[in-house]
Amino acid sequence: MRKVGLPLILIKIDRMSAILSLNNIEKSYGKIKALKGVSFDVPEGSVFGILGPNGSGKTTLLSIVLDVLKPKEGKFLWFGQPPSPEQRKKIGSLLETPNFYHYLSAVDNLKITHNISGRGQKEDISEVLHKVKLFDRRNSRFSSYSLGMKQRLAIAAALLGSPRVLVLDEPTNGLDPVGIAEIRELIVELKEKGHTIIMASHLLDEVEKVCTHVAILKTGNLITTGKVADVLMDEDLVELSAQNLQQLAEILNGMSNKITIDEKNGVVQMTLPKGTSRLDEINRFCFNKGVVLNHMLLKKKRLEARFFELTNN
Ligand code: ATP
């Protein structure tokens, strides 16, 4: 029998392993359902944004994975294992701003944090101060720091013990534009140094600039999750008009599954993936179906509109 040589197929597996897996997490405060069965995976090496408007359940979710709150239902795994004190040592967190002593220096404040938490070694203090770019100001009093520097010191405290993962709740909240820029830059640098970052944010712009992945929450429900580039992708919005809008909408259904009729402005809007709309083809398609267009315009759907659509439907 003749042997048939099978072609060698190389499949590149583009899947990072999950550092945190949430499975059907539910949490209530009395009658308020803060989380209603949330499941998603955080890939290792990502900057993972938990994005949602106020009250959507972000802080509750972070508190659960940090063992500050117990879920009513559901399970989560860190590094593929059920949570344990051993696992917890690999996770640095910043849920609320720590109380640093105003009259002490950064180094002395971190020595106190180290003594209380038992995380890392004393020698780590210089390393974390380098990481957050406060080494040159290590002996200055905390009270002399800008808001951005204070927040960077808080992140330095979370970095003691060299955790694989950093969990940050709204890390740029309350900062001025310079402080915000510093923290965002630091998060990207920490990712490059090998940390996985999980951060809550209510700012679309922040998630777009800093995060590689996102989970969008709304009133305790997971709306969507995935790579930022996929989830918050810009779209093409084509605006068209003809004598009979209903008929136009019906024939366009064959081209896109997102068609809306705007009676007030006398147009039909069709959404297509970014960069895929070909106006000449759409025109020909409509003409061949017996509809003559009297207006056609390509607009870009802005990310804000996409986010609004995701969190308001
Ligand atoms: P924000 O951005 O405003 O901090 P969030 O997305 O972090 O909001 P959570 O703080 O987790 O949302 O709140 C989710 C829901 O649970 C909200 O309706 C909130 O009012 C409610 N909630 C949170 N903590 C408590 C609590 N301790 N007692 C009662 N209700 C609470």
Side-chain angles (χ1 to χ4, degrees), residues 128-142:
V128 296
L129 284 169
H130 272 298
K131 272 191 178 169
V132 302
K133 298 199 192 112
L134 283 177
F135 189 75
D136 293 345
R137 293 288 306 273
R138 66 191 178 284
N139 294 318
S140 307
R141 280 174 176 227
F142 179 75

Side-chain angles (χ1 to χ4, degrees), residues 50-69:
I50 298 173
L51 176 65
N54 289 339
S56 53
K58 304 180 296 291
T59 303
T60 302
L61 190 65
L62 294 188
S63 304
I64 287 173
V65 299
L66 291 170
D67 269 336
V68 176
L69 288 176

Side-chain angles (χ1 to χ4, degrees), residues 125-135 152 156 159 162-163 186 189-190 193 195:
I125 290 175
S126 297
E127 189 190 325
V128 296
L129 284 169
H130 272 298
K131 272 191 178 169
V132 302
K133 298 199 192 112
L134 283 177
F135 189 75
R152 280 191 277 144
L159 283 168
S162 203
L186 173 61
E189 283 170 12
L190 290 172
K193 291 196 169 96
H195 298 276

Side-chain angles (χ1 to χ4, degrees), residues 54-232:
N54 289 339
S56 53
K58 304 180 296 291
T59 303
T60 302
L61 190 65
L62 294 188
S63 304
I64 287 173
V65 299
L66 291 170
D67 269 336
V68 176
L69 288 176
K70 288 269 164 268
K72 182 173 154 227
E73 290 290 335
K75 295 210 175 326
F76 61 93
L77 301 176
W78 277 110
F79 319 101
Q81 306 283 331
S84 67
E86 217 33 56
Q87 309 280 22
R88 188 65 185 79
K89 287 187 193 148
K90 299 181 201 163
I91 307 158
S93 62
L94 183 56
L95 275 193
E96 45 194 53
T97 316
N99 287 322
F100 289 120
Y101 292 96
H102 285 233
Y103 53 89
L104 293 182
S105 68
V107 171
D108 289 340
N109 267 302
L110 289 184
K111 278 183 188 162
I112 292 172
T113 309
H114 159 74
N115 286 338
I116 295 172
S117 69
R119 295 178 74 101
Q121 308 296 321
K122 277 228 168 65
E123 303 74 65
D124 293 346
I125 290 175
S126 297
E127 189 190 325
V128 296
L129 284 169
H130 272 298
K131 272 191 178 169
V132 302
K133 298 199 192 112
L134 283 177
F135 189 75
D136 293 345
R137 293 288 306 273
R138 66 191 178 284
N139 294 318
S140 307
R141 280 174 176 227
F142 179 75
S143 56
S144 70
Y145 279 12
S146 69
L147 282 178
M149 290 164 80
K150 287 176 178 167
Q151 184 68 335
R152 280 191 277 144
L153 186 62
I155 294 177
L159 283 168
L160 284 171
S162 203
R164 273 170 74 184
V165 192
L166 259 193
V167 179
L168 310 171
D169 193 4
E170 305 260 3
T172 61
N173 235 6
L175 301 183
D176 60 17
V178 176
I180 291 174
E182 285 171 1
I183 296 297
R184 289 180 180 170
E185 200 181 302
L186 173 61
I187 290 170
V188 173
E189 283 170 12
L190 290 172
K191 175 207 178 321
E192 276 155 19
K193 291 196 169 96
H195 298 276
T196 301
I197 321 273
I198 303 171
M199 57 179 270
S201 176
H202 63 277
L203 303 171
L204 168 70
D205 166 61
E206 176 156 285
V207 169
E208 236 193 297
K209 285 196 173 114
V210 172
C211 298
T212 56
H213 293 70
V214 66
I216 299 184
L217 289 184
K218 186 201 162 194
T219 54
N221 289 304
L222 176 73
I223 304 293
T224 183
T225 186
K227 289 184 183 168
V228 169
D230 297 339
V231 171
L232 297 173

